[in-house]
Amino acid sequence: MKRIQIGEFEELVLLITAILHGQAYGVSVMDTIAEQTGRKINISAVHTALDRLEKKGFLKSKVGGATGERGGRRKRYFEVTELGIQAIKLTRQMRNDLYDQIPEVVLSEING
Amino acid sequence: MIKFLKSSYPRSMAEQTPQPPSWLLNFFRRLCKPSYVEYIEGDLLEIHERQSREHEKQANWSFAWNIIRFLRPRYLKGPEDVYPKSTYPMFKNHVKISFRNMRRQAAYSLINILGLTVGIASCLLIAIHINMELSYDEFYEDSDRTFYVTNGGKGRYTPARMVSTLIQDYPEVESGTRLWKVNDYVVKIDGQTTKITNGLVADSTFFDVFPQEFLQGEPKTSLIAPNSMVVTKTFAERHYKGQNPIGKVIEVEGDNYTITALVSDPPRLTSIPFEFIVDFPREWYVTTGYWTGNNYFSFVKLTRSEQEPNMEAKFVDFVRHYYAKEVAEDGENIEDYILERLEGGNPFFTLESLKDLHLHHPHLSLGKGGRFSDVLILAFIGVLILLIATINFINMTTARAGLRHKEVGVRKVLGTTRGDIMRQFLTESLMVVLTATILGFALAALSLPYFNSLTERSMVFSDIASPTGFILIAILVLVTTLLSGGYPAFYISSIGPVQALKGEGPRGSGAGVRKFLVIFQFVVSIFLIATTIIVDRQVKLMQNTDLGLETEEVLAISNMTAIADKFDYFKGQVEQQASVQGVALTNQRPGGGISNWGYEVISDNPFKYGPDHIFSDGNYLEVLDLQLLEGRFFQPGRQADSMTVIINQHFAKMIGENAVGTTLSRGRDRNFTVIGVVEDFYATTVKRKSRPLVIRYEDDVNGSVAISNYALVRIKGDFLSTVAAIEEQWQEVAGDYPFEAVFLNDAFNRLYQNEERFRSMFRLFSILAIFIASLGLLSLAAYVLERRYKEIAIRKVLGASSERITSLILRDFAIMVIIAAFIASPIAYFYGNEWLKEFAKRIEIDWMLLVIPVVMVLLFTLLLVVVQSYRAASANPVNALKQE
């Protein structure tokens, strides 16, 4: 099994990017993270994560969509790659596997 | 630079998007990696715009903070963004293109490279030659306090006891040695008879004065024992291959010598070359000798070099002290003796530094002498050649580059930076220069044998590949590259693409400069041709001058003082040979040095003068075949003749009418009567003016007034056997004493050997310079024609004939030649005369001589240009005009 290691934050960004499905770029990801998790992340952190994910091959980027607010500057959109999807699935799988192994007893205690 | 287009997003005046401080933006832009800049800025602005709807101030602070957050290594500019893109890969690309360009313009590149190669090779050879000439005798550490003792400033020989007495009497004289030069000895090595040459006879102190590297044996003791010999490695290899020569006995001219030491070969660049050294025989003429007999080369080493002038002053007292006895024996007062000598203006003895020997006193060198003025002139030519070659090269390169303006324009449109174009041009020129340099080295190495024969040297490749050579070349490469690549690099690269593509060349394409450079080359060529002719003619003149005396058949034997008492016997023996026509005794050899003595002419108009002076016996006239004009010559045996003199025509003219019978006085009742006048002859080199001459009678080797050291023997018939016989007779009388004899014509020729050598070198390098210049001319002609390609075509279409076109182009060149002629001729005239001043008999530089080079250059130019022009002019004009 291929070891896929990404940090917690990177995983978050990866998931959000997948959710945004073609609309993911710096600001949109940042906003969505704030919506979904309440975490206010600095734009630079988002950019960095996106960049790293792309370098690792989980995302690919393309350029487009200049607007007035941006003074005509284009956006860099990110999309999840095959590898990225694999990574998402694998991680989820792993989490679920681990979750499934937790004895009932512990889980019921948590719920309380 | 990324251009940001103003978006077409509609907005009303009231809703102008507030902008963050632009300085922040600029700050960030300057630091951020180009590939990220746009997207990051975009996001930042978007956020700012959003935030500024609520809190404008806050938005700005956030903006600033965000920017700070983006200052990470990931986003900052790295070295690859800051430094020029032209790294090593780019350089490789430049190089590749350079060679492609070279191949494309093959003909031009070839000529260019050829010219530069020849220039570099010549310059290299000359530079090394000069360097060698200047570094003679550097091997000896104390060369600055080692001196040659000359006799009267020019004379090579000094008395036997000179060195030892100097050491004894003067504390500042630390050490010294005497030398004889051995031409050859007949020896027996291990039973085999052979000849050895290139040796010295020296005192045991030789190695104190000229320290050598001892491989075996001890310096101090090697020449102490009688019949010792020190040999060099070369000698050992040749005669004792594989064996140890130490201790071996070698029979030299009948005596057994023991080899006591082995030294490394003395350096090539030395005034004291040798392959072996033997000690002096223990004869009286070595240990004691006469003070008035001068037969030894003497060298001394002072404790400090600054003492030299003091020493020279002390010589007068020296002479007074030591010479008194012998001078008195001859019936003369020592004070008179001293006075006479000093009146003539000649010092007794002088000290000449070892370092100056090779170039400034070549006749004193025991090796081959050089000449300082020659070195200077060669240096000058070397520089000239280099100048022409590089100027040519630069000229041509820049000219060709000018034609590439279209290429530059296209490349600029494609996005090449000006910097890159500059680097391209520089690299191209660097490649060519390097190629030429490598070839130049190769050429220099290949032509070494020829050059060696020319300069009578034996240079080896390692001389060229020396550090000096490399440094020189490195500087040259740098300068040439910068100059030749610089102009196109800086100037042409500045063309705007539009201008270039429109077809306009760069403004002010430097045609004026080019013309100037071409004229300069013409000037140099004309100058060199003219001076070569001058040198040529002068040397020929010297060699063919009628000397006024017989030289081919006269053998001059020196060292008569060694056999003083037995001279008459020797003379008798020699005369007995059928082929010997006469033997004369004289104090100075024709073709050697000469002294002058003062006389007062007692006549109607008395005057004092110091004519040249020779002592001779009665046979002088016949032996040398001089022409007697008036009166008579000395008669051998006539005692009264000791108060008579013969004068030459020149002096006779000075005296006026009736020279015969005039009295010449040397004061105090020493009156001499003129009994005869001879036609002028060259007693010494033709380089000196013909001077008045007085011949006095002397038939005793150790005469009362002068030592006659030379016997002149007239030989008709078989020279070789006669000389051999004479040598035997000499040895019968003189034993081991070296037999030094030379034919007068050889002696005279040797005077001009330097000139001859100089002439050859001068000629060679002039030819080379001219060759290079013509290469330049060739390529220039081609270039000019190419530029005027269209013009020619149009003219043709309008009806001009090929000839007319050709003559048009020719006229331009011809004018340049004429201008050059007017510049070059006066210069050639001036410097030619300066050089000729050294020679008494010299050629005249007439206008004919100055015209010849101009005509030659003109014709040559004609040839080169015509051939090219005609071809261009005859071409189909359609081809030229089609080219658009």
Side-chain angles (χ1 to χ4, degrees):
Chain A
M1 179 170 76
K2 206 160 162 215
R3 297 194 70 194
I4 296 190
Q5 284 214 311
I6 49 178
E8 179 269 334
F9 181 64
E10 281 177 14
E11 189 192 336
L12 179 61
V13 168
L14 184 57
L15 289 170
I16 299 290
T17 309
I19 292 175
L20 286 177
H21 185 47
Q23 292 301 311
Y25 70 104
V27 175
S28 66
V29 169
M30 181 181 79
D31 290 342
T32 314
I33 291 182
E35 266 177 47
Q36 297 273 355
T37 68
R39 287 161 78 168
K40 301 227 180 77
I41 309 291
N42 185 275
I43 182 73
S44 64
V46 174
H47 269 250
T48 306
L50 286 171
D51 206 45
R52 288 173 66 162
L53 284 170
E54 184 184 19
K55 292 256 174 16
K56 287 182 186 172
F58 301 137
L59 298 178
K60 59 177 187 267
S61 66
K62 68 172 196 272
V63 169
T67 69
E69 300 97 345
R70 296 167 71 88
R73 292 163 181 71
R74 297 166 296 173
K75 301 175 187 175
R76 191 176 173 201
Y77 288 107
F78 288 86
E79 273 180 17
V80 191
T81 61
E82 288 280 329
L83 192 63
I85 295 172
Q86 254 186 51
I88 292 176
K89 286 190 177 162
L90 229 60
T91 316
R92 184 178 199 216
Q93 179 81 36
M94 195 175 66
R95 296 260 190 282
N96 284 342
D97 279 348
L98 289 174
Y99 184 85
D100 288 343
Q101 288 176 47
I102 299 180
E104 278 282 333
V105 189
V106 179
L107 272 178
S108 58
E109 287 223 10
I110 290 178
N111 252 343
Chain B
M1 238 176 49
I2 308 166
K3 291 234 180 331
F4 295 107
L5 308 165
K6 269 261 181 296
S7 98
S8 51
Y9 193 76
R11 69 184 84 203
S12 65
M13 286 291 282
E15 277 186 329
Q16 277 274 316
T17 320
Q19 295 291 315
S22 55
W23 63 269
L24 272 176
L25 209 54
N26 283 334
F27 169 70
F28 179 68
R29 197 174 292 167
R30 199 166 298 176
L31 291 180
C32 180
K33 254 197 182 55
S35 50
Y36 287 112
V37 155
E38 188 180 0
Y39 318 115
I40 297 178
E41 278 187 2
D43 280 4
L44 288 175
L45 283 175
E46 198 179 317
I47 295 176
H48 178 266
E49 204 255 344
R50 225 180 349 184
Q51 288 176 339
S52 64
R53 287 201 207 112
E54 299 161 32
H55 309 281
E56 193 172 325
K57 270 268 186 71
Q58 187 74 0
N60 282 349
W61 282 108
S62 298
F63 188 77
W65 172 242
N66 283 339
I67 282 185
I68 292 178
R69 289 296 301 269
F70 266 109
L71 296 179
R72 305 164 167 228
R74 178 184 289 266
Y75 300 115
L76 290 180
K77 276 186 180 167
E80 65 273 6
D81 299 304
V82 170
Y83 286 143
K85 275 194 299 214
S86 293
T87 50
Y88 176 60
M90 203 58 194
F91 180 68
K92 277 208 295 197
N93 174 267
H94 285 325
V95 170
K96 205 195 294 181
I97 297 192
S98 301
F99 282 112
R100 264 193 222 150
N101 275 336
M102 278 210 278
R103 220 166 292 145
R104 259 196 296 146
Q105 305 180 334
Y108 282 99
S109 304
L110 207 67
I111 294 183
N112 248 0
I113 294 182
L114 186 63
L116 199 60
T117 304
V118 173
I120 289 181
S122 313
C123 196
L124 208 54
L125 287 175
I126 291 184
I128 303 298
H129 173 75
I130 292 180
N131 193 30
M132 288 175 94
E133 284 287 294
L134 290 175
S135 42
Y136 264 69
D137 297 319
E138 274 176 3
F139 175 74
Y140 300 112
E141 279 171 16
D142 300 318
S143 57
D144 59 331
R145 43 189 188 103
T146 310
F147 296 90
Y148 189 112
V149 184
T150 74
N151 193 330
K154 291 232 175 86
R156 304 168 73 188
Y157 296 97
T158 38
R161 273 182 285 164
M162 167 69 77
V163 172
S164 50
T165 317
L166 285 178
I167 297 179
Q168 186 186 303
D169 285 358
Y170 298 99
E172 55 263 50
V173 178
E174 186 182 295
S175 181
T177 179
R178 297 169 300 177
L179 292 176
W180 280 345
K181 194 160 165 65
V182 176
N183 285 326
D184 45 56
Y185 279 152
V186 173
V187 298
K188 259 211 199 118
I189 301 181
D190 293 336
Q192 289 268 19
T193 309
T194 177
K195 254 194 179 165
I196 55 177
T197 99
N198 188 16
L200 296 174
V201 185
D203 286 321
S204 61
T205 46
F206 179 81
F207 300 107
D208 293 335
V209 184
F210 300 109
Q212 306 288 335
E213 192 189 333
F214 268 71
L215 300 171
Q216 290 190 51
E218 288 299 310
K220 295 254 186 249
T221 56
S222 49
L223 289 175
I224 291 226
N227 291 2
S228 317
M229 182 188 278
V230 174
V231 301
T232 60
K233 247 176 75 177
T234 312
F235 187 92
E237 304 256 306
R238 194 180 306 138
H239 299 287
Y240 291 100
K241 199 163 176 111
Q243 312 164 37
N244 185 352
I246 304 290
K248 294 245 190 263
V249 172
I250 170 173
E251 190 190 300
V252 179
E253 304 276 327
D255 293 319
N256 282 338
Y257 277 73
T258 317
I259 299 182
T260 57
L262 177 67
V263 296
S264 318
D265 294 335
R268 262 182 312 161
L269 305 175
T270 178
S271 303
I272 325 274
F274 63 88
E275 273 182 25
F276 63 88
I277 307 180
V278 293
D279 64 317
F280 275 105
R282 303 313 193 242
E283 302 277 344
W284 70 269
Y285 54 76
V286 174
T287 46
T288 324
Y290 284 115
W291 278 108
T292 42
N294 301 305
N295 301 301
Y296 298 83
F297 300 136
S298 299
F299 283 89
V300 292
K301 200 177 206 178
L302 300 182
T303 49
R304 289 203 329 264
S305 59
E306 308 85 70
Q307 276 141 5
E308 175 215 341
N310 295 342
M311 278 309 303
E312 291 187 11
K314 291 181 185 170
F315 275 123
V316 181
D317 286 329
F318 183 88
V319 167
R320 183 172 287 132
H321 185 202
Y322 288 102
Y323 280 53
K325 183 149 162 280
E326 282 174 30
V327 168
E329 272 171 17
D330 290 331
E332 205 180 335
N333 182 310
I334 182 67
E335 296 297 330
D336 290 339
Y337 183 78
I338 293 178
L339 254 144
E340 268 187 37
R341 181 67 170 265
L342 292 179
E343 256 171 32
N346 295 328
F348 274 106
F349 299 100
T350 64
L351 297 179
E352 303 295 349
S353 172
L354 178 63
K355 284 190 306 189
D356 293 337
L357 235 52
H358 177 73
L359 284 177
H360 299 279
H361 308 282
H363 61 285
L364 296 177
S365 163
L366 275 80
K368 243 193 327 254
R371 223 171 37 155
F372 193 61
S373 56
D374 286 357
V375 170
L376 284 179
I377 295 182
L378 277 180
F380 175 67
I381 289 196
V383 169
L384 213 61
I385 289 186
L386 198 62
L387 215 63
I388 296 184
T390 35
I391 287 181
N392 250 343
F393 180 76
I394 294 171
N395 212 8
M396 261 309 101
T397 312
T398 53
R400 300 298 305 170
L403 292 172
R404 288 165 67 181
H405 55 86
K406 271 208 201 127
E407 172 194 340
V408 172
V410 170
R411 296 183 80 187
K412 279 204 160 178
V413 165
L414 290 177
T416 319
T417 57
R418 179 169 178 217
D420 255 350
I421 296 188
M422 278 169 59
R423 273 181 285 272
Q424 173 66 48
F425 278 121
L426 281 174
T427 313
E428 273 186 36
S429 106
L430 180 68
M431 285 301 111
V432 179
V433 172
L434 274 183
T435 311
T437 308
I438 295 176
L439 289 178
F441 263 95
L443 184 63
L446 284 176
S447 33
L448 262 186
Y450 176 64
F451 192 67
N452 276 335
S453 68
L454 212 58
T455 56
E456 290 166 36
R457 236 187 232 301
S458 46
M459 286 208 270
V460 191
F461 183 67
S462 54
D463 294 320
I464 303 184
S466 65
T468 329
F470 277 136
I471 294 179
L472 206 77
I473 293 302
I475 297 179
L476 186 69
V477 166
L478 202 67
V479 170
T480 312
T481 307
L482 283 177
L483 285 181
S484 64
Y487 169 71
F490 289 102
Y491 191 66
I492 296 182
S493 61
S494 67
I495 285 188
V498 177
Q499 177 192 7
L501 288 174
K502 261 206 273 184
E504 297 163 8
R507 288 158 289 124
S509 48
V513 177
R514 208 161 299 123
K515 265 220 179 94
F516 171 74
L517 291 175
V518 170
I519 294 185
F520 174 74
Q521 291 195 3
F522 278 138
V523 167
V524 169
S525 303
I526 295 178
F527 174 76
L528 283 179
I529 297 180
T531 44
T532 308
I533 296 180
I534 293 177
V535 170
D536 237 38
R537 284 199 190 168
Q538 177 62 26
V539 175
K540 247 190 239 149
L541 177 72
M542 289 199 304
Q543 287 172 340
N544 296 337
T545 311
D546 181 13
L547 293 165
L549 53 89
E550 176 58 53
T551 52
E552 271 185 38
E553 299 177 348
V554 180
L555 184 73
I557 315 175
S558 56
N559 300 330
M560 286 303 120
T561 46
I563 59 169
D565 325 321
K566 306 181 217 153
F567 173 72
D568 288 325
Y569 169 71
F570 176 66
K571 180 167 166 215
Q573 289 286 91
V574 172
E575 276 171 341
Q576 270 175 26
Q577 293 195 51
S579 45
V580 171
Q581 303 265 306
V583 177
L585 181 69
T586 178
N587 71 328
Q588 269 148 355
R589 166 167 66 78
I594 199 163
S595 57
N596 51 15
W597 292 40
Y599 284 89
E600 186 177 354
V601 179
I602 312 291
S603 65
D604 298 328
N605 310 321
F607 65 96
K608 278 203 173 151
Y609 199 76
D612 283 349
H613 209 269
I614 298 181
F615 285 89
S616 81
D617 67 3
N619 297 329
Y620 198 70
L621 185 82
E622 276 174 34
V623 167
L624 288 181
D625 215 3
L626 304 175
Q627 299 295 328
L628 188 66
L629 295 175
E630 289 177 41
R632 64 171 181 89
F633 203 74
F634 303 124
Q635 268 158 17
R638 254 181 90 148
Q639 187 51 20
D641 272 347
S642 63
M643 297 308 280
T644 59
V645 291
I646 310 284
I647 61 177
N648 71 347
Q649 211 177 357
H650 192 142
F651 200 26
K653 283 207 194 102
M654 284 175 71
I655 295 181
E657 307 205 355
N658 294 332
V660 179
T662 319
T663 308
L664 303 177
S665 171
R666 278 178 65 76
R668 269 182 278 135
D669 286 332
R670 287 169 301 164
N671 295 332
F672 302 87
T673 322
V674 176
I675 56 168
V677 178
V678 291
E679 201 177 85
D680 288 342
F681 66 97
Y682 277 94
T684 174
T685 164
V686 298
K687 284 194 260 181
R688 296 180 77 221
K689 271 199 309 265
S690 160
R691 283 182 40 93
L693 176 75
V694 166
I695 310 180
R696 250 168 77 171
Y697 186 77
E698 183 60 69
D699 61 4
D700 188 354
V701 173
N702 287 323
S704 53
V705 197
I707 304 297
S708 294
N709 208 18
Y710 291 90
L712 302 176
V713 183
R714 181 74 176 272
I715 304 176
K716 260 197 170 63
D718 184 355
F719 295 125
L720 277 176
S721 60
T722 312
V723 173
I726 297 180
E727 191 173 348
E728 273 180 31
Q729 287 162 344
W730 167 264
Q731 281 163 349
E732 195 192 316
V733 193
D736 268 335
Y737 213 95
F739 177 67
E740 283 181 12
V742 61
F743 275 95
L744 286 190
N745 61 344
D746 287 334
F748 272 99
N749 276 341
R750 242 185 259 161
L751 290 176
Y752 314 132
Q753 218 179 34
N754 271 332
E755 272 76 15
E756 185 59 54
R757 216 183 322 151
F758 176 67
R759 175 175 89 154
S760 311
M761 283 195 82
F762 193 83
R763 212 198 256 158
L764 170 69
F765 287 110
S766 296
I767 292 180
L768 282 180
I770 295 171
F771 172 68
I772 297 176
S774 30
L775 281 184
L777 184 63
L778 188 70
S779 50
L780 179 78
Y783 165 74
V784 162
L785 285 166
E786 187 171 328
R787 279 204 93 180
R788 297 168 72 161
Y789 204 18
K790 271 196 227 136
E791 173 194 340
I792 294 175
I794 294 178
R795 281 186 193 265
K796 251 211 133 162
V797 166
L798 290 179
S801 67
S802 301
E803 290 79 23
R804 173 120 171 78
I805 297 173
T806 309
S807 67
L808 261 176
I809 298 184
L810 221 63
R811 201 177 48 139
D812 283 340
F813 278 98
I815 293 179
M816 283 200 273
V817 174
I818 302 295
I819 297 179
F822 275 109
I823 300 177
S825 301
I827 301 179
Y829 184 76
F830 178 71
Y831 278 106
N833 270 331
E834 283 294 308
W835 183 73
L836 286 175
K837 274 202 189 136
E838 195 186 329
F839 305 100
K841 224 173 176 203
R842 58 180 95 116
I843 58 168
E844 270 295 313
I845 305 184
D846 55 354
W847 67 270
M848 262 282 286
L849 192 154
L850 292 175
V851 158
I852 293 181
V854 179
V855 168
M856 282 176 71
V857 171
L858 210 56
L859 284 178
F860 189 63
T861 310
L862 228 84
L863 193 68
L864 278 184
V865 175
V866 158
V867 167
Q868 304 236 23
S869 307
Y870 201 74
R871 211 163 19 119
S874 314
N876 193 340
V878 176
N879 293 335
L881 297 170
K882 253 202 291 184
Q883 222 184 36
E884 202 43 54

